Amino acid sequence: MRRGWMALWLLFAATAGQAAPQATAPFEVTKDHVDIEVFADGSYADSHEESFRVLNAQGVQLMHERQFSYTHDYETMDVTAAYTLKANGTRIDVPKSGYLSGFGQTSMPGFQDLHIVSLFYPNLEIGDQVVLVTVH
């Protein structure tokens, strides 16, 4: 019995200093910046810039298409920039043909005009970043 405990203790001591294997995230946030401008009449506009670096093949699949929605009667949404930033610094803009806009359905009252925008980032590879700048 004593040998069993001794073996278990030795096994624990041998593995105690080793870190558990960590799953690699598919992407990382490299920028998330919001500017809000408040006007004299109390209205406001906000600009949101976000970028993500793709870390593996799963990240390429997840970030190749970005989708967001807004309610047209309650807010406006303009995409001022959307591009792939290659690892070597080259910028490849998402062409207007890469923007798809449609309508979504919801059962929530007052939200019958949900607009859905999908962006398709060109030539996305591991190490590249996707950048999106919107103004509301």
Side-chain angles (χ1 to χ4, degrees):
M1 179 73 169
R2 192 164 214 197
R3 285 186 186 185
W5 285 109
M6 181 64 96
L8 185 60
W9 183 83
L10 287 172
L11 179 62
F12 174 76
T15 59
Q18 298 176 358
Q22 303 251 339
T24 302
F27 58 87
E28 66 181 345
V29 177
T30 55
K31 187 172 192 176
D32 190 4
H33 182 84
V34 177
D35 280 324
I36 300 174
E37 183 177 359
V38 180
F39 304 108
D41 65 358
S43 63
Y44 69 93
D46 67 88
S47 173
H48 189 190
E49 181 178 357
E50 59 186 20
S51 63
F52 301 90
R53 179 177 292 113
V54 175
L55 301 176
N56 57 32
Q58 182 186 12
V60 172
Q61 288 180 320
L62 291 170
M63 301 307 288
H64 171 70
E65 177 187 354
R66 300 287 314 280
Q67 192 174 77
F68 58 91
S69 61
Y70 66 99
T71 304
H72 184 68
D73 283 348
Y74 297 109
E75 61 186 326
T76 60
M77 170 79 71
D78 293 315
V79 175
T80 57
Y83 56 91
T84 301
L85 184 61
K86 303 296 286 177
N88 68 6
T90 304
R91 175 180 165 158
I92 304 172
D93 289 329
V94 174
K96 294 296 181 188
S97 62
Y99 291 45
L100 293 181
S101 183
F103 296 95
Q105 294 184 1
T106 179
S107 59
M108 296 180 65
F111 291 97
Q112 288 78 18
D113 66 341
L114 185 67
H115 286 232
I116 299 171
V117 178
S118 298
L119 303 173
F120 296 90
Y121 288 87
N123 302 331
L124 188 60
E125 299 173 318
I126 296 170
D128 295 348
Q129 294 183 57
V130 295
V131 179
L132 175 63
V133 181
T134 58
V135 175
H136 302 244

PDB file of all heavy atoms in Angstrom, residues 34-71:
ATOM      1  N   VAL A  34     -13.981  52.615 -29.863  1.00  0.00           N
ATOM      2  CA  VAL A  34     -15.262  53.284 -30.087  1.00  0.00           C
ATOM      3  C   VAL A  34     -15.090  54.778 -29.807  1.00  0.00           C
ATOM      4  O   VAL A  34     -14.534  55.155 -28.777  1.00  0.00           O
ATOM      5  CB  VAL A  34     -16.361  52.712 -29.165  1.00  0.00           C
ATOM      6  CG1 VAL A  34     -17.668  53.469 -29.354  1.00  0.00           C
ATOM      7  CG2 VAL A  34     -16.560  51.231 -29.405  1.00  0.00           C
ATOM      8  N   ASP A  35     -15.550  55.616 -30.737  1.00  0.00           N
ATOM      9  CA  ASP A  35     -15.623  57.072 -30.550  1.00  0.00           C
ATOM     10  C   ASP A  35     -17.091  57.460 -30.558  1.00  0.00           C
ATOM     11  O   ASP A  35     -17.834  57.057 -31.454  1.00  0.00           O
ATOM     12  CB  ASP A  35     -14.929  57.824 -31.686  1.00  0.00           C
ATOM     13  CG  ASP A  35     -13.421  57.874 -31.527  1.00  0.00           C
ATOM     14  OD1 ASP A  35     -12.947  57.981 -30.389  1.00  0.00           O
ATOM     15  OD2 ASP A  35     -12.731  57.801 -32.564  1.00  0.00           O
ATOM     16  N   ILE A  36     -17.493  58.239 -29.576  1.00  0.00           N
ATOM     17  CA  ILE A  36     -18.877  58.722 -29.510  1.00  0.00           C
ATOM     18  C   ILE A  36     -18.858  60.244 -29.537  1.00  0.00           C
ATOM     19  O   ILE A  36     -18.168  60.873 -28.744  1.00  0.00           O
ATOM     20  CB  ILE A  36     -19.585  58.228 -28.234  1.00  0.00           C
ATOM     21  CG1 ILE A  36     -19.606  56.701 -28.217  1.00  0.00           C
ATOM     22  CG2 ILE A  36     -21.004  58.794 -28.156  1.00  0.00           C
ATOM     23  CD1 ILE A  36     -20.145  56.107 -26.946  1.00  0.00           C
ATOM     24  N   GLU A  37     -19.623  60.802 -30.484  1.00  0.00           N
ATOM     25  CA  GLU A  37     -19.733  62.254 -30.598  1.00  0.00           C
ATOM     26  C   GLU A  37     -21.166  62.643 -30.242  1.00  0.00           C
ATOM     27  O   GLU A  37     -22.119  62.177 -30.867  1.00  0.00           O
ATOM     28  CB  GLU A  37     -19.405  62.703 -32.026  1.00  0.00           C
ATOM     29  CG  GLU A  37     -19.422  64.193 -32.213  1.00  0.00           C
ATOM     30  CD  GLU A  37     -19.033  64.614 -33.624  1.00  0.00           C
ATOM     31  OE1 GLU A  37     -18.730  63.758 -34.462  1.00  0.00           O
ATOM     32  OE2 GLU A  37     -19.042  65.833 -33.879  1.00  0.00           O
ATOM     33  N   VAL A  38     -21.306  63.499 -29.224  1.00  0.00           N
ATOM     34  CA  VAL A  38     -22.619  63.961 -28.778  1.00  0.00           C
ATOM     35  C   VAL A  38     -22.836  65.370 -29.321  1.00  0.00           C
ATOM     36  O   VAL A  38     -21.991  66.240 -29.163  1.00  0.00           O
ATOM     37  CB  VAL A  38     -22.722  63.956 -27.237  1.00  0.00           C
ATOM     38  CG1 VAL A  38     -24.097  64.444 -26.792  1.00  0.00           C
ATOM     39  CG2 VAL A  38     -22.439  62.571 -26.686  1.00  0.00           C
ATOM     40  N   PHE A  39     -23.988  65.578 -29.957  1.00  0.00           N
ATOM     41  CA  PHE A  39     -24.315  66.860 -30.568  1.00  0.00           C
ATOM     42  C   PHE A  39     -25.139  67.721 -29.614  1.00  0.00           C
ATOM     43  O   PHE A  39     -25.690  67.228 -28.625  1.00  0.00           O
ATOM     44  CB  PHE A  39     -25.058  66.638 -31.883  1.00  0.00           C
ATOM     45  CG  PHE A  39     -24.292  65.775 -32.852  1.00  0.00           C
ATOM     46  CD1 PHE A  39     -24.700  64.471 -33.110  1.00  0.00           C
ATOM     47  CD2 PHE A  39     -23.149  66.248 -33.485  1.00  0.00           C
ATOM     48  CE1 PHE A  39     -23.994  63.669 -33.987  1.00  0.00           C
ATOM     49  CE2 PHE A  39     -22.440  65.452 -34.362  1.00  0.00           C
ATOM     50  CZ  PHE A  39     -22.860  64.159 -34.614  1.00  0.00           C
ATOM     51  N   ALA A  40     -25.236  69.021 -29.918  1.00  0.00           N
ATOM     52  CA  ALA A  40     -25.924  69.986 -29.055  1.00  0.00           C
ATOM     53  C   ALA A  40     -27.386  69.607 -28.812  1.00  0.00           C
ATOM     54  O   ALA A  40     -27.933  69.872 -27.743  1.00  0.00           O
ATOM     55  CB  ALA A  40     -25.835  71.388 -29.651  1.00  0.00           C
ATOM     56  N   ASP A  41     -28.023  68.964 -29.791  1.00  0.00           N
ATOM     57  CA  ASP A  41     -29.439  68.605 -29.631  1.00  0.00           C
ATOM     58  C   ASP A  41     -29.634  67.301 -28.851  1.00  0.00           C
ATOM     59  O   ASP A  41     -30.743  66.830 -28.679  1.00  0.00           O
ATOM     60  CB  ASP A  41     -30.128  68.516 -30.988  1.00  0.00           C
ATOM     61  CG  ASP A  41     -29.593  67.382 -31.859  1.00  0.00           C
ATOM     62  OD1 ASP A  41     -28.643  66.677 -31.434  1.00  0.00           O
ATOM     63  OD2 ASP A  41     -30.126  67.197 -32.966  1.00  0.00           O
ATOM     64  N   GLY A  42     -28.542  66.703 -28.386  1.00  0.00           N
ATOM     65  CA  GLY A  42     -28.633  65.465 -27.606  1.00  0.00           C
ATOM     66  C   GLY A  42     -28.473  64.203 -28.430  1.00  0.00           C
ATOM     67  O   GLY A  42     -28.335  63.120 -27.879  1.00  0.00           O
ATOM     68  N   SER A  43     -28.512  64.337 -29.748  1.00  0.00           N
ATOM     69  CA  SER A  43     -28.294  63.157 -30.583  1.00  0.00           C
ATOM     70  C   SER A  43     -26.804  62.820 -30.582  1.00  0.00           C
ATOM     71  O   SER A  43     -25.973  63.608 -30.125  1.00  0.00           O
ATOM     72  CB  SER A  43     -28.801  63.412 -32.004  1.00  0.00           C
ATOM     73  OG  SER A  43     -28.074  64.460 -32.605  1.00  0.00           O
ATOM     74  N   TYR A  44     -26.464  61.673 -31.093  1.00  0.00           N
ATOM     75  CA  TYR A  44     -25.064  61.262 -31.096  1.00  0.00           C
ATOM     76  C   TYR A  44     -24.764  60.362 -32.292  1.00  0.00           C
ATOM     77  O   TYR A  44     -25.671  59.836 -32.935  1.00  0.00           O
ATOM     78  CB  TYR A  44     -24.708  60.525 -29.795  1.00  0.00           C
ATOM     79  CG  TYR A  44     -25.371  59.176 -29.663  1.00  0.00           C
ATOM     80  CD1 TYR A  44     -24.723  58.014 -30.081  1.00  0.00           C
ATOM     81  CD2 TYR A  44     -26.653  59.057 -29.138  1.00  0.00           C
ATOM     82  CE1 TYR A  44     -25.333  56.783 -29.974  1.00  0.00           C
ATOM     83  CE2 TYR A  44     -27.264  57.832 -29.027  1.00  0.00           C
ATOM     84  CZ  TYR A  44     -26.601  56.686 -29.440  1.00  0.00           C
ATOM     85  OH  TYR A  44     -27.208  55.470 -29.337  1.00  0.00           O
ATOM     86  N   ALA A  45     -23.501  60.222 -32.553  1.00  0.00           N
ATOM     87  CA  ALA A  45     -23.014  59.292 -33.576  1.00  0.00           C
ATOM     88  C   ALA A  45     -21.835  58.553 -32.963  1.00  0.00           C
ATOM     89  O   ALA A  45     -21.044  59.138 -32.223  1.00  0.00           O
ATOM     90  CB  ALA A  45     -22.581  60.033 -34.833  1.00  0.00           C
ATOM     91  N   ASP A  46     -21.770  57.269 -33.241  1.00  0.00           N
ATOM     92  CA  ASP A  46     -20.611  56.544 -32.747  1.00  0.00           C
ATOM     93  C   ASP A  46     -19.932  55.796 -33.883  1.00  0.00           C
ATOM     94  O   ASP A  46     -20.573  55.309 -34.797  1.00  0.00           O
ATOM     95  CB  ASP A  46     -20.964  55.607 -31.579  1.00  0.00           C
ATOM     96  CG  ASP A  46     -21.850  54.459 -31.965  1.00  0.00           C
ATOM     97  OD1 ASP A  46     -21.321  53.417 -32.367  1.00  0.00           O
ATOM     98  OD2 ASP A  46     -23.091  54.600 -31.853  1.00  0.00           O
ATOM     99  N   SER A  47     -18.631  55.777 -33.800  1.00  0.00           N
ATOM    100  CA  SER A  47     -17.793  55.094 -34.776  1.00  0.00           C
ATOM    101  C   SER A  47     -17.106  53.945 -34.058  1.00  0.00           C
ATOM    102  O   SER A  47     -16.588  54.114 -32.954  1.00  0.00           O
ATOM    103  CB  SER A  47     -16.753  56.069 -35.337  1.00  0.00           C
ATOM    104  OG  SER A  47     -15.832  55.388 -36.151  1.00  0.00           O
ATOM    105  N   HIS A  48     -17.131  52.780 -34.678  1.00  0.00           N
ATOM    106  CA  HIS A  48     -16.560  51.589 -34.064  1.00  0.00           C
ATOM    107  C   HIS A  48     -15.546  50.968 -35.028  1.00  0.00           C
ATOM    108  O   HIS A  48     -15.889  50.648 -36.163  1.00  0.00           O
ATOM    109  CB  HIS A  48     -17.668  50.600 -33.747  1.00  0.00           C
ATOM    110  CG  HIS A  48     -17.221  49.442 -32.919  1.00  0.00           C
ATOM    111  ND1 HIS A  48     -17.997  48.352 -32.692  1.00  0.00           N
ATOM    112  CD2 HIS A  48     -16.077  49.208 -32.246  1.00  0.00           C
ATOM    113  CE1 HIS A  48     -17.360  47.501 -31.928  1.00  0.00           C
ATOM    114  NE2 HIS A  48     -16.185  47.995 -31.652  1.00  0.00           N
ATOM    115  N   GLU A  49     -14.307  50.838 -34.570  1.00  0.00           N
ATOM    116  CA  GLU A  49     -13.269  50.176 -35.366  1.00  0.00           C
ATOM    117  C   GLU A  49     -12.821  48.934 -34.621  1.00  0.00           C
ATOM    118  O   GLU A  49     -12.468  48.991 -33.449  1.00  0.00           O
ATOM    119  CB  GLU A  49     -12.079  51.096 -35.588  1.00  0.00           C
ATOM    120  CG  GLU A  49     -10.987  50.443 -36.424  1.00  0.00           C
ATOM    121  CD  GLU A  49      -9.808  51.346 -36.713  1.00  0.00           C
ATOM    122  OE1 GLU A  49      -9.842  52.528 -36.306  1.00  0.00           O
ATOM    123  OE2 GLU A  49      -8.852  50.875 -37.342  1.00  0.00           O
ATOM    124  N   GLU A  50     -12.861  47.817 -35.320  1.00  0.00           N
ATOM    125  CA  GLU A  50     -12.419  46.570 -34.723  1.00  0.00           C
ATOM    126  C   GLU A  50     -11.576  45.791 -35.718  1.00  0.00           C
ATOM    127  O   GLU A  50     -11.792  45.868 -36.924  1.00  0.00           O
ATOM    128  CB  GLU A  50     -13.604  45.729 -34.251  1.00  0.00           C
ATOM    129  CG  GLU A  50     -14.577  45.357 -35.340  1.00  0.00           C
ATOM    130  CD  GLU A  50     -15.817  44.636 -34.818  1.00  0.00           C
ATOM    131  OE1 GLU A  50     -16.138  44.741 -33.621  1.00  0.00           O
ATOM    132  OE2 GLU A  50     -16.463  43.972 -35.634  1.00  0.00           O
ATOM    133  N   SER A  51     -10.591  45.076 -35.186  1.00  0.00           N
ATOM    134  CA  SER A  51      -9.784  44.213 -36.045  1.00  0.00           C
ATOM    135  C   SER A  51      -9.433  42.954 -35.277  1.00  0.00           C
ATOM    136  O   SER A  51      -9.291  42.962 -34.049  1.00  0.00           O
ATOM    137  CB  SER A  51      -8.529  44.939 -36.543  1.00  0.00           C
ATOM    138  OG  SER A  51      -7.691  45.285 -35.472  1.00  0.00           O
ATOM    139  N   PHE A  52      -9.326  41.870 -36.033  1.00  0.00           N
ATOM    140  CA  PHE A  52      -9.036  40.561 -35.478  1.00  0.00           C
ATOM    141  C   PHE A  52      -7.936  39.904 -36.306  1.00  0.00           C
ATOM    142  O   PHE A  52      -7.978  39.965 -37.535  1.00  0.00           O
ATOM    143  CB  PHE A  52     -10.279  39.657 -35.542  1.00  0.00           C
ATOM    144  CG  PHE A  52     -11.460  40.208 -34.800  1.00  0.00           C
ATOM    145  CD1 PHE A  52     -12.367  41.032 -35.438  1.00  0.00           C
ATOM    146  CD2 PHE A  52     -11.660  39.895 -33.475  1.00  0.00           C
ATOM    147  CE1 PHE A  52     -13.460  41.543 -34.763  1.00  0.00           C
ATOM    148  CE2 PHE A  52     -12.758  40.406 -32.780  1.00  0.00           C
ATOM    149  CZ  PHE A  52     -13.655  41.225 -33.432  1.00  0.00           C
ATOM    150  N   ARG A  53      -6.972  39.274 -35.630  1.00  0.00           N
ATOM    151  CA  ARG A  53      -5.909  38.528 -36.324  1.00  0.00           C
ATOM    152  C   ARG A  53      -6.291  37.052 -36.324  1.00  0.00           C
ATOM    153  O   ARG A  53      -6.621  36.472 -35.291  1.00  0.00           O
ATOM    154  CB  ARG A  53      -4.557  38.698 -35.639  1.00  0.00           C
ATOM    155  CG  ARG A  53      -3.443  37.916 -36.337  1.00  0.00           C
ATOM    156  CD  ARG A  53      -2.070  38.128 -35.727  1.00  0.00           C
ATOM    157  NE  ARG A  53      -1.654  39.497 -35.978  1.00  0.00           N
ATOM    158  CZ  ARG A  53      -1.500  40.437 -35.035  1.00  0.00           C
ATOM    159  NH1 ARG A  53      -1.733  40.161 -33.775  1.00  0.00           N
ATOM    160  NH2 ARG A  53      -1.118  41.658 -35.353  1.00  0.00           N
ATOM    161  N   VAL A  54      -6.219  36.442 -37.496  1.00  0.00           N
ATOM    162  CA  VAL A  54      -6.536  35.028 -37.677  1.00  0.00           C
ATOM    163  C   VAL A  54      -5.326  34.208 -37.249  1.00  0.00           C
ATOM    164  O   VAL A  54      -4.215  34.446 -37.712  1.00  0.00           O
ATOM    165  CB  VAL A  54      -6.910  34.752 -39.150  1.00  0.00           C
ATOM    166  CG1 VAL A  54      -7.122  33.275 -39.374  1.00  0.00           C
ATOM    167  CG2 VAL A  54      -8.144  35.547 -39.544  1.00  0.00           C
ATOM    168  N   LEU A  55      -5.558  33.223 -36.363  1.00  0.00           N
ATOM    169  CA  LEU A  55      -4.449  32.445 -35.814  1.00  0.00           C
ATOM    170  C   LEU A  55      -4.346  31.021 -36.350  1.00  0.00           C
ATOM    171  O   LEU A  55      -3.301  30.387 -36.216  1.00  0.00           O
ATOM    172  CB  LEU A  55      -4.559  32.394 -34.280  1.00  0.00           C
ATOM    173  CG  LEU A  55      -4.549  33.746 -33.577  1.00  0.00           C
ATOM    174  CD1 LEU A  55      -4.760  33.564 -32.084  1.00  0.00           C
ATOM    175  CD2 LEU A  55      -3.254  34.487 -33.868  1.00  0.00           C
ATOM    176  N   ASN A  56      -5.439  30.506 -36.931  1.00  0.00           N
ATOM    177  CA  ASN A  56      -5.387  29.143 -37.461  1.00  0.00           C
ATOM    178  C   ASN A  56      -6.480  28.957 -38.515  1.00  0.00           C
ATOM    179  O   ASN A  56      -7.214  29.897 -38.829  1.00  0.00           O
ATOM    180  CB  ASN A  56      -5.494  28.108 -36.334  1.00  0.00           C
ATOM    181  CG  ASN A  56      -6.754  28.256 -35.501  1.00  0.00           C
ATOM    182  OD1 ASN A  56      -7.800  28.658 -36.002  1.00  0.00           O
ATOM    183  ND2 ASN A  56      -6.656  27.933 -34.218  1.00  0.00           N
ATOM    184  N   ALA A  57      -6.562  27.736 -39.052  1.00  0.00           N
ATOM    185  CA  ALA A  57      -7.523  27.464 -40.130  1.00  0.00           C
ATOM    186  C   ALA A  57      -8.963  27.679 -39.677  1.00  0.00           C
ATOM    187  O   ALA A  57      -9.798  28.163 -40.448  1.00  0.00           O
ATOM    188  CB  ALA A  57      -7.337  26.047 -40.654  1.00  0.00           C
ATOM    189  N   GLN A  58      -9.255  27.342 -38.439  1.00  0.00           N
ATOM    190  CA  GLN A  58     -10.599  27.584 -37.923  1.00  0.00           C
ATOM    191  C   GLN A  58     -10.902  29.084 -37.907  1.00  0.00           C
ATOM    192  O   GLN A  58     -12.001  29.509 -38.227  1.00  0.00           O
ATOM    193  CB  GLN A  58     -10.747  27.007 -36.520  1.00  0.00           C
ATOM    194  CG  GLN A  58     -12.135  27.197 -35.952  1.00  0.00           C
ATOM    195  CD  GLN A  58     -12.251  26.760 -34.502  1.00  0.00           C
ATOM    196  OE1 GLN A  58     -11.259  26.520 -33.831  1.00  0.00           O
ATOM    197  NE2 GLN A  58     -13.473  26.653 -34.019  1.00  0.00           N
ATOM    198  N   GLY A  59      -9.907  29.896 -37.580  1.00  0.00           N
ATOM    199  CA  GLY A  59     -10.075  31.345 -37.590  1.00  0.00           C
ATOM    200  C   GLY A  59     -10.372  31.874 -38.987  1.00  0.00           C
ATOM    201  O   GLY A  59     -11.171  32.799 -39.152  1.00  0.00           O
ATOM    202  N   VAL A  60      -9.728  31.290 -39.997  1.00  0.00           N
ATOM    203  CA  VAL A  60     -10.003  31.695 -41.383  1.00  0.00           C
ATOM    204  C   VAL A  60     -11.470  31.438 -41.701  1.00  0.00           C
ATOM    205  O   VAL A  60     -12.161  32.294 -42.266  1.00  0.00           O
ATOM    206  CB  VAL A  60      -9.085  30.949 -42.382  1.00  0.00           C
ATOM    207  CG1 VAL A  60      -9.516  31.219 -43.818  1.00  0.00           C
ATOM    208  CG2 VAL A  60      -7.632  31.344 -42.180  1.00  0.00           C
ATOM    209  N   GLN A  61     -11.976  30.264 -41.326  1.00  0.00           N
ATOM    210  CA  GLN A  61     -13.380  29.936 -41.583  1.00  0.00           C
ATOM    211  C   GLN A  61     -14.321  30.875 -40.832  1.00  0.00           C
ATOM    212  O   GLN A  61     -15.323  31.329 -41.389  1.00  0.00           O
ATOM    213  CB  GLN A  61     -13.679  28.494 -41.176  1.00  0.00           C
ATOM    214  CG  GLN A  61     -13.086  27.468 -42.094  1.00  0.00           C
ATOM    215  CD  GLN A  61     -13.422  26.061 -41.629  1.00  0.00           C
ATOM    216  OE1 GLN A  61     -13.413  25.773 -40.437  1.00  0.00           O
ATOM    217  NE2 GLN A  61     -13.717  25.202 -42.581  1.00  0.00           N
ATOM    218  N   LEU A  62     -13.997  31.179 -39.581  1.00  0.00           N
ATOM    219  CA  LEU A  62     -14.871  32.017 -38.766  1.00  0.00           C
ATOM    220  C   LEU A  62     -14.870  33.478 -39.206  1.00  0.00           C
ATOM    221  O   LEU A  62     -15.895  34.152 -39.146  1.00  0.00           O
ATOM    222  CB  LEU A  62     -14.453  31.941 -37.292  1.00  0.00           C
ATOM    223  CG  LEU A  62     -14.694  30.619 -36.592  1.00  0.00           C
ATOM    224  CD1 LEU A  62     -14.021  30.615 -35.226  1.00  0.00           C
ATOM    225  CD2 LEU A  62     -16.184  30.351 -36.467  1.00  0.00           C
ATOM    226  N   MET A  63     -13.723  33.989 -39.621  1.00  0.00           N
ATOM    227  CA  MET A  63     -13.606  35.421 -39.899  1.00  0.00           C
ATOM    228  C   MET A  63     -13.756  35.772 -41.382  1.00  0.00           C
ATOM    229  O   MET A  63     -13.840  36.945 -41.709  1.00  0.00           O
ATOM    230  CB  MET A  63     -12.260  35.947 -39.394  1.00  0.00           C
ATOM    231  CG  MET A  63     -12.049  35.744 -37.890  1.00  0.00           C
ATOM    232  SD  MET A  63     -13.387  36.379 -36.865  1.00  0.00           S
ATOM    233  CE  MET A  63     -13.124  38.112 -37.022  1.00  0.00           C
ATOM    234  N   HIS A  64     -13.796  34.792 -42.260  1.00  0.00           N
ATOM    235  CA  HIS A  64     -13.948  35.062 -43.692  1.00  0.00           C
ATOM    236  C   HIS A  64     -15.235  35.846 -43.961  1.00  0.00           C
ATOM    237  O   HIS A  64     -15.272  36.736 -44.807  1.00  0.00           O
ATOM    238  CB  HIS A  64     -13.952  33.754 -44.473  1.00  0.00           C
ATOM    239  CG  HIS A  64     -14.304  33.903 -45.906  1.00  0.00           C
ATOM    240  ND1 HIS A  64     -13.465  34.523 -46.806  1.00  0.00           N
ATOM    241  CD2 HIS A  64     -15.406  33.560 -46.612  1.00  0.00           C
ATOM    242  CE1 HIS A  64     -14.038  34.527 -47.996  1.00  0.00           C
ATOM    243  NE2 HIS A  64     -15.218  33.964 -47.901  1.00  0.00           N
ATOM    244  N   GLU A  65     -16.282  35.540 -43.224  1.00  0.00           N
ATOM    245  CA  GLU A  65     -17.553  36.257 -43.362  1.00  0.00           C
ATOM    246  C   GLU A  65     -17.910  36.878 -42.019  1.00  0.00           C
ATOM    247  O   GLU A  65     -17.934  36.201 -41.005  1.00  0.00           O
ATOM    248  CB  GLU A  65     -18.678  35.316 -43.778  1.00  0.00           C
ATOM    249  CG  GLU A  65     -20.030  35.999 -43.858  1.00  0.00           C
ATOM    250  CD  GLU A  65     -21.184  35.037 -44.117  1.00  0.00           C
ATOM    251  OE1 GLU A  65     -20.935  33.845 -44.350  1.00  0.00           O
ATOM    252  OE2 GLU A  65     -22.328  35.489 -44.072  1.00  0.00           O
ATOM    253  N   ARG A  66     -18.161  38.181 -42.013  1.00  0.00           N
ATOM    254  CA  ARG A  66     -18.615  38.881 -40.806  1.00  0.00           C
ATOM    255  C   ARG A  66     -20.046  39.318 -41.053  1.00  0.00           C
ATOM    256  O   ARG A  66     -20.381  39.813 -42.118  1.00  0.00           O
ATOM    257  CB  ARG A  66     -17.745  40.106 -40.529  1.00  0.00           C
ATOM    258  CG  ARG A  66     -16.283  39.831 -40.301  1.00  0.00           C
ATOM    259  CD  ARG A  66     -15.984  39.189 -38.957  1.00  0.00           C
ATOM    260  NE  ARG A  66     -16.664  39.820 -37.846  1.00  0.00           N
ATOM    261  CZ  ARG A  66     -16.262  40.939 -37.241  1.00  0.00           C
ATOM    262  NH1 ARG A  66     -15.172  41.549 -37.616  1.00  0.00           N
ATOM    263  NH2 ARG A  66     -16.957  41.435 -36.235  1.00  0.00           N
ATOM    264  N   GLN A  67     -20.877  39.150 -40.056  1.00  0.00           N
ATOM    265  CA  GLN A  67     -22.289  39.496 -40.197  1.00  0.00           C
ATOM    266  C   GLN A  67     -22.727  40.339 -39.002  1.00  0.00           C
ATOM    267  O   GLN A  67     -22.340  40.058 -37.865  1.00  0.00           O
ATOM    268  CB  GLN A  67     -23.106  38.213 -40.269  1.00  0.00           C
ATOM    269  CG  GLN A  67     -24.525  38.408 -40.705  1.00  0.00           C
ATOM    270  CD  GLN A  67     -25.223  37.075 -40.883  1.00  0.00           C
ATOM    271  OE1 GLN A  67     -25.599  36.461 -39.910  1.00  0.00           O
ATOM    272  NE2 GLN A  67     -25.374  36.643 -42.124  1.00  0.00           N
ATOM    273  N   PHE A  68     -23.497  41.371 -39.268  1.00  0.00           N
ATOM    274  CA  PHE A  68     -24.074  42.185 -38.196  1.00  0.00           C
ATOM    275  C   PHE A  68     -25.442  42.667 -38.639  1.00  0.00           C
ATOM    276  O   PHE A  68     -25.787  42.600 -39.821  1.00  0.00           O
ATOM    277  CB  PHE A  68     -23.160  43.352 -37.800  1.00  0.00           C
ATOM    278  CG  PHE A  68     -22.823  44.278 -38.930  1.00  0.00           C
ATOM    279  CD1 PHE A  68     -23.608  45.380 -39.192  1.00  0.00           C
ATOM    280  CD2 PHE A  68     -21.706  44.047 -39.715  1.00  0.00           C
ATOM    281  CE1 PHE A  68     -23.293  46.241 -40.234  1.00  0.00           C
ATOM    282  CE2 PHE A  68     -21.383  44.902 -40.752  1.00  0.00           C
ATOM    283  CZ  PHE A  68     -22.180  46.001 -41.015  1.00  0.00           C
ATOM    284  N   SER A  69     -26.229  43.122 -37.685  1.00  0.00           N
ATOM    285  CA  SER A  69     -27.590  43.566 -38.009  1.00  0.00           C
ATOM    286  C   SER A  69     -27.913  44.864 -37.288  1.00  0.00           C
ATOM    287  O   SER A  69     -27.267  45.233 -36.308  1.00  0.00           O
ATOM    288  CB  SER A  69     -28.598  42.482 -37.611  1.00  0.00           C
ATOM    289  OG  SER A  69     -28.536  42.232 -36.227  1.00  0.00           O
ATOM    290  N   TYR A  70     -28.911  45.548 -37.808  1.00  0.00           N
ATOM    291  CA  TYR A  70     -29.415  46.775 -37.193  1.00  0.00           C
ATOM    292  C   TYR A  70     -30.864  46.972 -37.630  1.00  0.00           C
ATOM    293  O   TYR A  70     -31.317  46.379 -38.610  1.00  0.00           O
ATOM    294  CB  TYR A  70     -28.560  47.990 -37.564  1.00  0.00           C
ATOM    295  CG  TYR A  70     -28.609  48.368 -39.030  1.00  0.00           C
ATOM    296  CD1 TYR A  70     -29.438  49.389 -39.468  1.00  0.00           C
ATOM    297  CD2 TYR A  70     -27.838  47.699 -39.969  1.00  0.00           C
ATOM    298  CE1 TYR A  70     -29.498  49.743 -40.802  1.00  0.00           C
ATOM    299  CE2 TYR A  70     -27.880  48.043 -41.307  1.00  0.00           C
ATOM    300  CZ  TYR A  70     -28.714  49.060 -41.720  1.00  0.00           C
ATOM    301  OH  TYR A  70     -28.775  49.400 -43.043  1.00  0.00           O
ATOM    302  N   THR A  71     -31.588  47.786 -36.883  1.00  0.00           N
ATOM    303  CA  THR A  71     -32.987  48.064 -37.191  1.00  0.00           C
ATOM    304  C   THR A  71     -33.075  49.410 -37.881  1.00  0.00           C
ATOM    305  O   THR A  71     -32.793  50.447 -37.286  1.00  0.00           O
ATOM    306  CB  THR A  71     -33.831  48.050 -35.902  1.00  0.00           C
ATOM    307  OG1 THR A  71     -33.638  46.799 -35.262  1.00  0.00           O
ATOM    308  CG2 THR A  71     -35.305  48.233 -36.214  1.00  0.00           C
TER     309      THR A  71
END
